[in-house]
Amino acid sequence: MKPVVISGTGLYRPPQVITNLELVEAYNAYADRRNAERAGLIAAGQAQPLVHSSVEFIEKASGIRQRHVVDKAGVLDPARMRPRIAPRPDSELSLMAEFAVAAARPALEAAGKQGRDIDAVLCAASNMQRAYPALACEIQHELGAGGYAFDMNVACSSATFAIEQAVNAVKSGSARCVLVVDPEITSAHLEWRDRDCHFIFGDVCTAIVVEAAETATAPERWRVLGTRLATQYSNHIRNNAGFLNRCEDTDPDARDKTFMQEGRKVFKEVVPMAAAHIEGHLQALGLEPRQVRRYWLHQANLGMNQLIIKRLVGGEVGDDLAPVILGTYANTASAGSIIAFHEHHADLGAGDLGVICSFGAGYSVGSVVVERS
């Protein structure tokens, strides 16, 4: 099996930003409107009033301070509370493909590649804009890439699961150079009207170039020492939106058609699962957690990441060992660990080890162990 490297990464973030204060003001205005509409039911004890959110609540619960979004005005409109996205004709580049291409171009530049050098494109994200044709095929066409392309979805683990597919394709010889893109327009499937989760997500796209070490020319290369994936069924993170909804005659705006989670159960169950997964993966490679110079973890919750690292290495956890990008980007689903890697790897030296790890709905956990060349 030929050695495989990550030779380039790219990041695209939409320019519009929502701060916690702006989000709280919009949510509280919505809550007041909704409480006024149901005043009679609330007075009769037949409904519970919506409770205000606060900046303090959000930051204590998550560590998030702001998020990038594709449309700010629609999210902050108390009468709408979701982004406003204009439909595009089929002849125009779709929104997710636009995000992906914007992230792919700097990744290709970092790797010293052009579109024609790519012979596989994997579009991996927690939701896809459409069923078909595949977004990956559209991205492949726009970049002038060859070979094959396909979409895949493993929720917040989509990026690491796709990296394993890319690594295996290069190892087996079915591809020489693979582009993985993770366009996460999470604002479109977040329930902004739910106090428990209205602050969680932000929009972004990442891109990763995976290729054979023998063809890599980039000045920065990360040899992939191993990948490992695991899944365990759980109902505690769920989204019931899908093509069968119209046949079920269900309300397309019903609460279950957007992101839902039982946060406390997820925290309790995923932390030990992710820590054990990383430790087991390292041991299989003959490594120990303390040998790892940096962990780039899924960016869902500050407390969750800190506890996972404490389980692995003990003691206090700092940004140098496990960088956090939640404050700036919020939870960006599968793109989070890749953003952390993209923004916090340049200071590492030859021989330094790192772990990219994501975890999310499914449950799913994916890890990629890398070494700076």
Side-chain angles (χ1 to χ4, degrees), residues 178-255:
V178 182
L179 174 69
V180 175
V181 289
D182 314 294
E184 291 288 8
I185 307 179
T186 56
S187 63
H189 61 95
L190 175 60
E191 181 48 85
W192 298 93
R193 300 169 296 184
D194 186 333
R195 180 181 180 271
D196 289 340
C197 70
H198 77 111
F199 54 86
I200 290 180
F201 287 115
D203 299 334
V204 77
C205 184
T206 53
I208 311 102
V209 177
V210 177
E211 63 176 312
E214 62 188 16
T215 68
T217 59
E220 276 192 22
R221 302 170 220 169
W222 292 84
R223 182 175 177 179
V224 179
L225 301 183
T227 61
R228 175 174 286 194
L229 312 177
T231 55
Q232 175 184 310
Y233 182 69
S234 169
N235 237 347
H236 296 150
I237 310 175
R238 193 176 181 100
N239 184 333
N240 287 333
F243 78 101
L244 292 178
N245 295 157
R246 61 189 293 268
C247 305
E248 299 166 340
D249 297 326
T250 54
D251 179 5
D253 198 37
R255 180 63 189 89

Side-chain angles (χ1 to χ4, degrees), residues 22-137:
E22 291 173 310
L23 188 63
V24 165
E25 289 176 347
Y27 174 82
N28 289 349
Y30 160 75
D32 290 343
R33 288 167 59 103
R34 185 65 175 148
N35 288 340
E37 292 169 355
R38 302 183 304 154
L41 294 174
I42 293 171
Q46 298 174 359
Q48 293 295 318
L50 297 180
V51 178
H52 277 189
S53 185
S54 70
V55 171
E56 294 74 21
F57 162 68
I58 293 173
E59 295 185 1
K60 182 178 180 181
S62 66
I64 296 168
R65 297 189 301 275
Q66 65 171 43
R67 70 283 299 145
H68 289 261
V69 293
V70 67
D71 176 64
K72 179 175 181 174
V75 171
L76 296 183
D77 181 353
R80 181 178 177 86
M81 302 296 284
R82 63 183 185 275
R84 187 173 283 105
I85 298 173
R88 299 182 179 186
D90 293 347
S91 58
E92 288 188 13
L93 191 66
S94 66
L95 182 60
M96 284 188 72
E98 179 183 297
F99 268 53
V101 169
R105 295 201 188 281
L108 292 173
E109 182 178 358
K113 304 294 181 185
Q114 297 183 15
R116 63 175 179 267
D117 299 317
I118 302 297
D119 49 19
V121 177
L122 310 185
C123 181
S126 56
N127 278 275
M128 295 297 165
Q129 183 171 345
R130 60 172 184 265
Y132 44 81
L135 271 298
C137 293

